[in-house]
Amino acid sequence: MKKFWAIFFWFWPVVALVLCVMAPSQGWWFPGPPGTQMGERIQGLFELILGIVTVTFIGTNFALGWVLWQAASKGDDKKAFYSHGSHSLELIWTIVPAFVLLFIALYQMDVWAEYRVQSFYPEETKQGSVAEFMARQFEWRVRYPAIGETLKDEAQPGDLYMVNELHVPAGRPVKINLRTQDVQHAFFAPQLRLKQDAVPGLIIPVWFDVPKAGNYDVTCAELCGWGHYKMKARIVVESQQAVDAYMRKLQEEQTEDGFVEEAAEEE
Amino acid sequence: MSLTSGRFSWLTVVAISASLAAGCSKSGLESSFVYSAKTDSLIPEAQSGIKGQAGVKKMVDDRFGNPQHLKAWSKLPIDFGGVTASVGETPSGKAVKEILLQFEEGITSPSGDAVSSVQFVGGAAAGETAAVLSWDAESGKATLVSALTGSPAQGDQVVIGGGEVIRNGRVLYQRHCSHCHGTSGDGAGPTAEYLNPRPRDYRHGVFKFTSTNSSSKASREDLSRILKYGIPGTYMPSFLLLKDDELYAIVEYVRFLAMRGEFERKLVTELSVDYSKASVADQTASGTKRSEIIEALTAFLTEDFSDVANSAGDELAEAWSTADTEEALVAPTVGRVADSPESRRRGRELYLSKCADCHGVSGEGNGPQTTIFEKLPDADALYPEAGLHDEWGNVTKPRNLTQGIYRGGRRPIDLFCRMNEGIKGTKMPAFKTVFSNEDVWHIVNYVLSIPFEAEPGVSPGSIAPATPVAPAAAE
Amino acid sequence: MATVSPALHGHDHADSHGHGHHEIGFIKKYVFSTDHKVIGIQFLVTTLLMLMVGGALALAVRWQLAFPWENMPFLGDIFGLFRTEGGQISPEFYTMLFTMHASVMIFLVIIPVLAGAFGNFLIPLQIGADDMAFPVLNMLSYWFMWPAIFCFGTSFFIGGATAGPAGGWTSYPILSAIMEAAPGSGDAQTWWLFGLTLVGVSSMMGSVNYMTTIINMRAPGMTLFRMPLTIWSMFITAILQAFALPVLTAAGFMLVTDRLLGTVFFVPSEIIVNNAEPTVGGGQPLLWQHLFWFYSHPAVYIMLLPAMGMVSDMLSCMCRKPVFGYKPMVYSMAAIAGLGFIVWGHHMFTSGMNPALGMTFMTSTMMIALPSAIKTFNWIGTIYDGNVKFNAVMLNCAGFVALFIVGGLSGIFMAAVPVDIYFHDTYFIVAHFHYVLFGATLFGVFAAIQFWFPKMFGRLMNDKVAKVHFVLTFAGMNGTFFPMHLLGIAGMPRRYADPYFHTYLEHLLPMNQFMTFSAILMGCAQFLLLGNFAYSILFGEKAGRNPWNANGLEWSAPSPPGHGNFDEPPVCYRGPYEYSSPEAEALGQDFILQTSPPPAGVKKADPAHH
């Protein structure tokens, strides 16, 4: 019975590992390949940590099971090993993890800097943002500058509006101005592996570079009220021509006066 | 793939079972439609019927069912959902109870439990709707509950199905909409009381923001537009990313709920003069015996009530199907007047003459009308709170035009519709009788410029101030 | 006297002791008691009840995730909250459920069960004092829990039957600052904040008391490095609490004034929520996050350290071995406490604070993993080559270590800023903190209840039932929370009433259903604990003074100890973990009480490391 307990403590980590190995094939893993280069690097860092953690996980759990197994194998009257510890072991398991952890920390800095420190942003994003992405309870309001204009923080007469759908060109870094009209929200694009809170009172620039055209989900990741889960939007990444055509279509729609059709019929 | 059942029989109601996958199976608790407060104001006999005669509640339930078992009243212009097929071989005999159906290529035979009715579109049985007892998807054989009166021939068009659209609509509605708008569409779901403005109560059949003229209902397109783009400035969010068929199903279901509510109201209106609790109390006070009133009610329910219901249905069918026609659509006779300082100035003058009463001189929605106490619609008293009230009895603030938020949409045509045709159910009137289309466009131009004014009445940038007129300043 | 059984002996003593003083009535003895043992048990029973409340809320959350928008059992039909909707809950009700689940579990279960229940019961007993330094303050600290429970309870329905506080337990402004921001942001939120403040007051009274007691009232010979690790952990926790709590209390007051008096500490200008008037002001919502996490990160350790201390004690006893690396254990706890004050920013990596801060906080956060690692290795070292007693105490302690490994390792992902960009506010986080708070802390608590139960009530809990409880809870816990890691990796955000609205999450429904079944299993298993607890108080096997053959001072007192705890003021001769030492061997046993005078002729054990 005692050995049962040692096996019990070995059993669960094995189940966990099997589950993790199975996960990608079952769809319990990242939603698709990373959509951005940044996302790829983030996922790379994740995998690096996952590797280190898995080794540690296996090691410690094996050790835990093993010390229990060993104890279970011995008789009840066996005398315990009288020891207060080992100075050298303490040193080893302080210094080694310290270096590993420090390594992980330092290794991450570059990606973080590129993602968030404005002076590290790609050149292309410095000309301005392509759109304002404004969160509100419970949707994302998009405001583009008029064709040929640049985006201003304040609304301008020719601005183009859309909701829950952002069109951006593929293959070049673009920047959006993340804002919120009411409470705090967070912009979360799972396929792009990006997240940034939208904080009341702040305009936060977020940049990304999506090489592949396609639709990418956007959700809200900061509790924003009862309809938190309703904040479903998407980023449509397409060629520059398609974006230009889309903008023209938006402009056309937005100046719709309901008259053109009538005139055509009268002719 | 779809049918418009309104064209067919006169009073055909087909039951559609619309249980949510597990809401039903897991426990006995079922969601239910509620009746309006006006129904509750009737005497119990009028509500629930007497001597086997249907009262308001049964009349409504017979035609609309309850959320788990919806009914399709084919009179109504609602796409309940169905699949077209044709009669495979002419059935022999007079009283046809079994027919074989064929499907065109590309249309799959619906599975067993989805089929609850067959409607005949063409041939001798055209207009008939028959309930299906059993359906064999493999062979295409439908066994009917009762025999047909006409005898169909091979090739006759039929529509079979159990109302997929409305059923799907109900499931989606329950998931996305009902916590605000309520299971019955009464705008009183559990979340509703915390929202400002309150969610729409569809049961009046009135929707505010439409592209149809002031006397018409909302079109399908209008409802779908609201679903897709939301109503900025309110808690109605955008459901842009729902699939098209999902949006379509929700629109049909919302129309279904609107018609149910309107139908109920029409019946109640018919009865409330004589048989409301208040009126019966008045009558008995002035000497009429209660039994006499009940007798009259019984007679009315027996002889006239189903006609009343039928004509109410016809009115609904007429009104709602018209809304989807081109005649109902608002069409300006002139295109938008080019946006210019002159146009805006003209717009501002007109604005001050009419709109400022409510929307205020500076457009902040604080005109003098917002401070008066209005009269209650059906009582000789005033509303307890100041302000303009809408059809639902809520205070509606005239829009603050300085924020650049336009609930009904920001396209010029949207603003044109709001001004020319008014906003249904609210105190915003249709100005088409007051202003020419051209003048309305001037106001549109002015209103669209308000958010960018440096100060009230003064346009920014290259646009010259409204007064004094400085011709040179206009480019 | 020596022939009398310990239990009877204790009883005699308690009586004779009582005669010396004036008689105290029932109310003073059991209700408004100033006796630390009674207060500790009061805390324990209260928190166990609250555990069930919090658990029920959690199951409601899980129900919605497994069967979204379907009739919720009990709430739907019996209470009839959502009758016309067919029992389908509303989304704001869901936000209330998880908000209150977290609030109840954190503020009314985890913090009070560790510091309140075990801190109170164990501190005087383990250091050889007759009571706390400030007994009345101690009593107040318990009785301030009830107003807090009352406030939290009121917040459930004050804003409407289905709209309790819904800002999350972190209650970030603007959501929590503006009354109109959400259905639960009205009066409900205000009452919630009052409740929070009262819990703070209660904890503060406790921690002042603990610090004073531990510093001033140790028995002769009980030097700092002879204190059991439980006492060290309570001491460090008390210090953490004393320094961090005022910040939260201040922040709470600021938020209350923002809400009620119109100040704008956290509210920027021109914010329009629910068509209310635009706000006026120059506040900053991020300020709240800084203040909140400045408390709440140390609070994470307040919720963990005492369990670590107690588990060290119990492991050592159940393995009949000294704790492996006593001093490193103490230093690592101190390091956790110290570093705990400079890592709060890792909750805010995506909040938009200065990115340079992100790097600083990442480094400090990575470093705080180190002491935790050391402790884990030391626990395994403690078990190594011991004479392990495989009873429920041991199993729960081993469970603690196993689950803490998972919780600790998953923390590294979030400490890394870039990786946290993706994982922030996903289910990965939920998995992580449940492994730490439920997996580690609660298993520590389960062990501790089992272990000190005989000291509290003079009877043993049933070991078989406790083992079944352990297996079911451990299986249910892993079944519920391990898949959450995968949900997080799949990008499922927290706090979604209907995650399946998002197409990329649709396929996760079966997984969520499995988790819900596991959670139900785990919830049901807790009735075994409660049943065992209640049954054993009345009918459990009688225990003597030292049923576990442990070393601590508390085991030299009667079970249960009478008023004043000890027969005579104890004197401490050695450290608490001298199991299987030569001294003990000389007495023919594998333990030696801290109070036993050194046997004549035996050389004192060499404390040097091997």
Side-chain angles (χ1 to χ4, degrees):
Chain A
M1 189 60 191
K2 283 180 176 179
K3 286 185 181 168
F4 166 79
W5 294 115
I7 294 168
F8 182 85
F9 282 101
W10 266 329
F11 170 72
W12 292 99
V14 172
V15 172
L17 285 174
V18 169
L19 204 62
C20 288
V21 171
M22 272 168 63
S25 64
Q26 302 294 314
W28 305 329
W29 210 245
F30 289 97
T36 55
Q37 218 212 335
M38 178 68 63
E40 211 162 290
R41 293 172 66 189
I42 289 175
Q43 195 169 329
L45 291 172
F46 165 80
E47 279 154 7
L48 168 80
I49 299 176
L50 184 65
I52 296 172
V53 160
T54 308
V55 171
T56 322
F57 179 74
I58 295 174
T60 42
N61 272 297
F62 177 78
L64 178 65
W66 182 69
V67 292
L68 289 172
W69 178 266
Q70 189 214 27
S73 316
K74 290 178 182 163
D76 268 343
D77 39 355
K78 184 253 161 193
K79 183 190 168 303
F81 170 47
Y82 178 64
S83 154
H84 282 97
S86 151
H87 194 71
S88 41
L89 266 182
E90 299 285 354
L91 276 182
I92 292 171
W93 66 43
T94 306
I95 291 168
V96 174
F99 272 105
V100 173
L101 290 168
L102 207 58
F103 161 75
I104 296 177
L106 296 177
Y107 195 72
Q108 315 260 335
M109 298 279 187
D110 287 352
V111 179
W112 173 245
E114 238 171 87
Y115 176 60
R116 277 291 289 144
V117 181
Q118 292 206 27
S119 51
F120 284 82
Y121 280 18
E123 255 337 285
E124 293 96 320
T125 64
K126 294 188 176 153
Q127 295 141 13
S129 297
V130 294
E132 177 184 273
F133 209 59
M134 168 94 85
R136 68 179 284 266
Q137 289 173 327
F138 298 99
E139 59 193 8
W140 301 92
R141 292 255 156 208
V142 185
R143 179 170 65 89
Y144 302 98
I147 293 170
E149 299 287 323
T150 53
L151 185 74
K152 307 272 194 327
D153 287 349
E154 293 299 314
Q156 299 299 311
D159 285 344
L160 301 173
Y161 294 84
M162 189 54 196
V163 59
N164 282 357
E165 194 172 82
L166 172 72
H167 285 243
V168 295
R172 75 175 175 85
V174 289
K175 194 171 72 174
I176 55 171
N177 283 359
L178 189 60
R179 295 181 81 165
T180 164
Q181 193 183 315
D182 37 46
V183 304
Q184 189 165 345
H185 301 266
F187 166 86
F188 177 32
Q191 288 94 356
L192 308 186
R193 314 276 189 269
L194 298 184
K195 190 176 290 130
Q196 176 58 52
D197 287 7
V199 183
L202 298 182
I203 302 176
I204 300 177
V206 176
W207 76 271
F208 47 86
D209 175 1
V210 190
K212 230 175 100 193
N215 293 343
Y216 299 89
D217 291 303
V218 174
T219 65
C220 177
E222 194 68 73
L223 179 64
C224 58
W226 56 269
H228 179 37
Y229 67 98
K230 280 184 193 267
M231 296 191 62
K232 174 178 171 177
R234 72 174 167 213
I235 301 175
V236 178
V237 180
E238 55 196 5
S239 67
Q240 185 65 54
Q241 291 87 334
V243 173
D244 292 344
Y246 174 77
M247 292 298 164
R248 282 194 297 276
K249 193 181 117 232
L250 266 192
Q251 191 182 33
E252 216 166 87
E253 274 175 17
Q254 223 135 285
T255 49
E256 169 78 57
D257 66 358
F259 179 69
V260 188
E261 220 173 312
E262 187 83 359
E265 272 174 16
E266 278 169 4
E267 275 165 26
Chain B
M1 182 65 205
S2 70
L3 83 120
T4 321
S5 30
R7 275 181 282 153
F8 311 122
S9 68
W10 265 91
L11 203 163
T12 320
V13 181
V14 180
I16 300 165
S17 185
S19 54
L20 268 175
C24 233
S25 58
K26 284 235 162 53
S27 85
L29 196 65
E30 293 186 345
S31 57
S32 49
F33 286 143
V34 295
Y35 305 94
S36 72
K38 287 187 86 175
T39 303
D40 292 338
S41 73
L42 299 177
I43 54 170
E45 290 84 352
Q47 289 182 35
S48 311
I50 183 166
K51 292 193 182 143
Q53 298 302 321
V56 172
K57 289 182 177 175
K58 186 163 183 336
M59 211 51 132
V60 172
D61 289 349
D62 281 351
R63 284 155 186 78
F64 294 89
N66 66 46
Q68 274 73 31
H69 308 283
L70 299 172
K71 287 181 178 170
W73 189 9
S74 51
K75 188 192 289 287
L76 299 179
I78 296 171
D79 176 4
F80 294 104
V83 180
T84 36
S86 59
V87 177
E89 52 189 66
T90 311
S92 55
K94 202 75 188 110
V96 178
K97 276 193 87 171
E98 277 185 4
I99 48 168
L100 272 175
L101 299 176
Q102 282 179 339
F103 297 90
E104 274 175 48
E105 234 170 277
I107 297 177
T108 42
S109 164
S111 66
D113 51 345
V115 176
S116 60
S117 74
V118 179
Q119 299 200 356
F120 291 83
V121 184
E128 276 196 69
T129 298
V132 171
L133 189 66
S134 69
W135 164 249
D136 181 26
E138 197 100 325
S139 63
K141 191 169 84 176
T143 311
L144 308 178
V145 174
S146 52
L148 294 167
T149 45
S151 38
Q154 180 167 11
D156 284 357
Q157 291 291 304
V158 299
V159 177
I160 68 160
E164 292 83 359
V165 170
I166 209 76
R167 208 157 39 164
N168 193 18
R170 133 102 175 124
V171 172
L172 290 162
Y173 179 88
Q174 200 68 16
R175 180 176 182 187
H176 299 301
C177 321
S178 70
H179 46 81
C180 292
H181 290 289
T183 303
S184 323
D186 52 3
T191 311
E193 60 176 302
Y194 307 102
L195 307 184
N196 175 23
R198 293 294 288 264
R200 183 67 46 249
D201 173 359
Y202 323 128
R203 295 178 306 173
H204 295 230
V206 175
F207 292 89
K208 276 182 169 180
F209 306 113
T210 66
S211 61
T212 55
N213 55 43
S214 51
S215 56
S216 294
K217 299 279 176 196
S219 68
R220 284 184 166 96
E221 176 62 30
D222 290 331
L223 296 180
S224 138
R225 208 180 157 75
I226 297 273
L227 270 180
K228 274 190 188 158
Y229 301 108
I231 305 182
T234 75
Y235 266 123
M236 175 70 196
S238 151
F239 288 93
L240 185 74
L241 300 188
L242 286 181
K243 295 184 198 81
D244 283 349
D245 61 326
E246 292 178 322
L247 288 170
Y248 179 75
I250 295 175
V251 167
E252 289 308 304
Y253 190 69
V254 166
R255 294 171 78 247
F256 171 85
L257 289 178
M259 289 182 216
R260 177 187 174 275
E262 228 184 325
F263 178 69
E264 183 187 357
R265 286 173 72 85
K266 280 178 190 283
L267 297 186
V268 172
T269 311
E270 205 67 38
L271 289 169
S272 63
V273 179
D274 294 327
Y275 306 110
S276 73
K277 285 170 186 158
S279 137
V280 170
D282 282 353
Q283 291 175 58
T284 46
S286 60
T288 322
K289 282 208 191 96
R290 192 163 197 280
S291 58
E292 286 169 28
I293 301 171
I294 298 298
E295 213 165 288
L297 172 67
T298 314
F300 179 80
L301 291 183
T302 317
E303 287 153 28
D304 304 326
F305 204 39
S306 55
D307 289 345
V308 167
N310 267 335
S311 58
D314 292 340
E315 284 166 27
L316 283 177
E318 170 69 21
W320 283 95
S321 44
T322 312
D324 279 318
T325 59
E326 214 162 284
E327 294 87 76
L329 214 60
V330 177
T333 50
V334 288
R336 180 184 178 184
V337 176
D339 187 16
S340 66
E342 287 77 23
S343 166
R344 292 182 191 181
R345 259 197 303 280
R346 172 79 183 129
R348 176 156 173 83
E349 278 163 24
L350 296 166
Y351 174 91
L352 290 176
S353 73
K354 285 285 174 195
C355 320
D357 248 11
C358 295
H359 289 280
V361 174
S362 58
E364 287 173 79
N366 55 358
Q369 288 292 324
T370 58
T371 55
I372 59 154
F373 285 82
E374 287 190 307
K375 217 173 92 34
L376 279 162
D378 42 5
D380 208 16
L382 298 178
Y383 275 109
E385 68 279 290
L388 300 159
H389 288 75
D390 62 14
E391 154 136 24
W392 297 270
N394 300 323
V395 176
T396 42
K397 288 178 78 178
R399 189 62 41 246
N400 180 345
L401 299 168
T402 63
Q403 291 173 332
I405 295 172
Y406 307 99
R407 294 190 178 170
R410 63 183 317 126
R411 300 174 304 170
I413 180 64
D414 293 326
L415 275 80
F416 181 90
C417 287
R418 299 297 91 75
M419 294 172 195
N420 209 49
E421 309 295 333
I423 299 177
K424 286 154 194 163
T426 73
K427 293 283 150 57
M428 173 82 184
F431 281 100
K432 58 185 165 190
T433 52
V434 182
F435 296 134
S436 70
N437 275 351
E438 203 170 347
D439 280 349
V440 173
W441 282 125
H442 288 307
I443 309 176
V444 168
N445 285 341
Y446 169 65
V447 166
L448 280 172
S449 76
I450 292 178
F452 307 105
E453 286 175 336
E455 56 187 90
V458 182
S459 302
S462 59
I463 309 289
T467 47
V469 182
E475 36 195 17
Chain C
M1 272 302 223
T3 54
V4 182
S5 84
L8 284 175
H9 173 95
H11 194 69
D12 287 350
H13 180 77
D15 276 357
S16 63
H17 197 95
H19 288 306
H21 296 75
H22 60 279
E23 290 292 335
I24 46 175
F26 178 82
I27 299 259
K28 275 213 135 177
K29 199 166 173 188
Y30 294 111
V31 183
F32 294 106
S33 170
T34 53
D35 184 331
H36 73 99
K37 298 179 292 297
V38 177
I39 296 170
I41 292 167
Q42 284 173 328
F43 262 117
L44 183 61
V45 172
T46 312
T47 49
L48 284 180
L49 289 178
M50 288 300 138
L51 179 71
M52 299 311 271
V53 174
L57 290 165
L59 288 183
V61 169
R62 288 271 11 132
W63 181 269
Q64 166 71 8
L65 289 173
F67 308 104
W69 310 126
E70 285 170 22
N71 175 25
M72 187 168 276
F74 304 115
L75 292 172
D77 30 35
I78 295 177
F79 295 104
L81 285 178
F82 300 99
R83 192 154 279 148
T84 46
E85 287 76 36
Q88 172 187 342
I89 63 163
S90 62
E92 73 272 12
F93 190 73
Y94 178 81
T95 51
M96 183 278 272
L97 285 175
F98 66 69
T99 300
M100 291 313 286
H101 160 66
S103 311
V104 169
M105 285 301 197
I106 290 169
F107 298 116
L108 302 181
V109 179
I110 302 279
I111 293 181
V113 79
L114 292 173
F118 289 103
N120 252 310
F121 188 80
L122 294 177
I123 289 174
L125 279 170
Q126 289 199 329
I127 64 171
D130 57 353
D131 206 322
M132 285 285 182
F134 310 116
V136 175
L137 195 66
N138 205 18
M139 175 187 83
L140 286 177
S141 119
Y142 175 71
W143 286 106
F144 263 82
M145 282 290 290
W146 281 101
I149 293 171
F150 173 76
C151 287
F152 280 131
T154 306
S155 71
F156 269 101
F157 53 83
I158 190 87
T162 61
W169 82 281
T170 54
S171 56
Y172 281 1
I174 304 299
L175 197 58
S176 60
I178 300 181
M179 296 271 189
E180 291 86 355
S185 296
D187 294 341
Q189 186 71 39
T190 312
W191 280 87
W192 185 89
L193 282 164
F194 288 149
L196 184 70
T197 309
L198 288 167
V199 170
V201 171
S202 161
S203 302
M204 190 51 123
M205 290 197 250
S207 65
V208 169
N209 215 343
Y210 300 163
M211 283 194 283
T212 318
T213 308
I214 294 172
I215 291 172
N216 282 337
M217 298 183 65
R218 279 171 286 128
M222 178 61 83
T223 60
L224 283 179
F225 284 108
R226 279 182 185 169
M227 293 198 309
L229 287 170
T230 306
I231 301 301
W232 267 111
S233 66
M234 295 289 175
F235 185 47
I236 290 167
T237 304
I239 295 171
L240 269 178
Q241 216 157 36
F243 284 94
L245 200 56
V247 178
L248 179 73
T249 311
F253 270 118
M254 287 157 81
L255 191 52
V256 170
T257 59
D258 268 16
R259 296 170 54 77
L260 299 180
L261 305 179
T263 55
V264 286
F265 292 113
F266 306 119
V267 183
S269 56
E270 292 299 311
I271 298 289
I272 302 173
V273 181
N274 199 7
N275 281 309
E277 288 299 307
T279 58
V280 191
Q284 189 27 288
L286 284 186
L287 173 63
W288 167 266
Q289 297 188 25
H290 280 292
L291 296 177
F292 180 84
W293 288 116
F294 185 82
Y295 164 75
S296 290
H297 196 80
V300 171
Y301 297 106
I302 293 169
M303 295 180 241
L304 182 63
L305 283 177
M308 287 177 158
M310 295 191 297
V311 164
S312 309
D313 261 21
M314 291 182 277
L315 269 182
S316 167
C317 174
M318 291 308 156
C319 300
R320 318 308 296 163
K321 264 189 77 193
V323 162
F324 196 94
Y326 173 85
K327 280 193 180 174
M329 287 294 227
V330 174
Y331 296 144
S332 57
M333 278 197 281
I336 288 176
L339 286 167
F341 276 109
I342 53 165
V343 297
W344 80 88
H346 67 224
H347 296 269
M348 301 169 59
F349 284 153
T350 66
S351 71
M353 66 176 179
N354 188 329
L357 282 176
M359 303 196 187
T360 324
F361 280 120
M362 168 166 61
T363 316
S364 58
T365 305
M366 283 291 177
M367 285 302 115
I368 208 170
L370 188 57
S372 304
I374 296 171
K375 293 187 79 71
T376 308
F377 296 137
N378 280 335
W379 285 318
I380 296 175
T382 306
I383 304 174
Y384 169 72
D385 210 6
N387 178 10
V388 179
K389 310 289 177 209
F390 284 90
N391 52 25
V393 178
M394 177 66 203
L395 293 176
N396 276 302
C397 288
F400 169 100
V401 177
L403 299 174
F404 181 68
I405 290 171
V406 181
L409 289 177
S410 62
I412 296 176
F413 292 95
M414 288 150 237
V417 211
V419 181
D420 185 68
I421 294 170
Y422 182 73
F423 284 121
H424 181 78
D425 262 331
T426 64
Y427 258 79
F428 200 86
I429 311 288
V430 182
H432 163 72
F433 66 69
H434 278 101
Y435 262 91
V436 178
L437 288 186
F438 189 129
T441 304
L442 272 189
F443 276 83
V445 167
F446 294 150
I449 291 175
Q450 185 88 3
F451 187 69
W452 278 290
F453 189 87
K455 194 47 63 186
M456 290 176 179
F457 302 104
R459 287 169 191 272
L460 286 159
M461 277 170 84
N462 185 309
D463 193 58
K464 283 217 172 63
V465 177
K467 275 179 178 163
V468 174
H469 167 253
F470 164 75
V471 171
L472 291 181
T473 312
F474 194 85
M477 143 91 210
N478 281 304
T480 310
F481 297 114
F482 194 81
M484 284 188 184
H485 292 113
L486 302 175
L487 295 187
I489 294 173
M492 178 167 149
R494 293 165 73 176
R495 296 161 169 174
Y496 270 23
D498 185 2
Y500 319 107
F501 178 42
H502 299 266
T503 359
Y504 77 100
L505 298 171
E506 267 172 354
H507 65 287
L508 299 174
L509 182 65
M511 171 81 101
N512 272 299
Q513 287 173 340
F514 169 76
M515 290 156 67
T516 298
F517 292 130
S518 304
I520 292 171
L521 170 81
M522 182 166 68
C524 294
Q526 302 322 305
F527 288 100
L528 289 177
L529 174 76
L530 289 194
N532 195 356
F533 189 86
Y535 179 86
S536 304
I537 289 179
L538 301 172
F539 309 110
E541 186 192 332
K542 287 218 168 154
R545 288 189 176 219
N546 193 357
W548 309 110
N549 292 338
N551 288 345
L553 289 187
E554 76 269 34
W555 303 107
S556 65
S559 300
H563 195 64
N565 293 345
F566 296 95
D567 311 333
E568 53 208 45
V571 178
C572 175
Y573 292 99
R574 60 185 66 73
Y577 301 121
E578 295 303 303
Y579 295 100
S580 306
S581 72
E583 270 186 312
E585 305 246 298
L587 295 173
Q589 54 191 30
D590 63 355
F591 70 101
I592 181 158
L593 280 169
Q594 284 184 280
T595 49
S596 307
V602 177
K603 251 194 86 188
K604 200 175 171 296
D606 177 16
H609 298 286
H610 287 242

